[in-house]
Amino acid sequence: MGEIAKPAASPSAEGATAEKPLSTTERNTLLRIIAVLAVKGYNINPTAGRIDKLGEIRGDAEKLGLSISDETLRKKLREAFDMIENGRLADR
C-alpha cells in the first residue's frame, strides 16, 4: 500500500472539548469504512472463520505510530463484517 502521512498531534487537553459519543449513523458509517478497507484493501474474506491479516494490519498501524491489539482488530472487523452479512452495508 502507499505511504500515509502520520496524523498531526492532537490538541492539548486545555483547548480540546470533550468528545461526544458516536451516533448510530456515525458508528455504522465507520463500520462500513472498515469493511470496505478490509475487503478491498487487505483482501480479507468477510465470511472466512479466521482473519489472517491481523498481523499485517497491526504492522501498518504501528508504522503510523498507532497501537491496536489483535483482540480489538478482530472484534471491530467482525462487527464490520456482520454488517455485510446482515445486508446493512448500504445506506438506508
Side-chain angles (χ1 to χ4, degrees):
M1 287 206 219
E3 288 294 315
I4 300 175
K6 285 191 176 189
S10 56
S12 68
E14 286 179 27
T17 58
E19 290 187 30
K20 298 182 294 185
L22 293 175
S23 69
T24 300
T25 301
E26 290 170 320
R27 181 180 181 281
N28 288 343
T29 297
L30 290 175
L31 288 172
R32 286 183 190 106
I33 292 168
I34 290 169
V36 169
L37 294 174
V39 172
K40 296 298 186 178
Y42 284 96
N43 250 352
I44 296 173
N45 178 352
T47 60
R50 177 176 160 80
I51 301 172
D52 60 356
K53 303 278 181 131
L54 294 179
E56 184 179 347
I57 297 169
R58 189 182 60 250
D60 287 344
E62 288 171 357
K63 289 176 189 174
L64 294 172
L66 305 171
S67 175
I68 308 170
S69 72
D70 282 357
E71 181 180 337
T72 298
L73 282 170
R74 193 175 292 110
K75 179 181 175 186
K76 295 305 175 186
L77 287 169
R78 289 281 172 229
E79 286 180 41
F81 295 158
D82 284 347
M83 291 189 80
I84 294 171
E85 291 172 9
N86 294 325
R88 294 183 293 157
L89 197 56
D91 285 327
R92 296 181 192 232

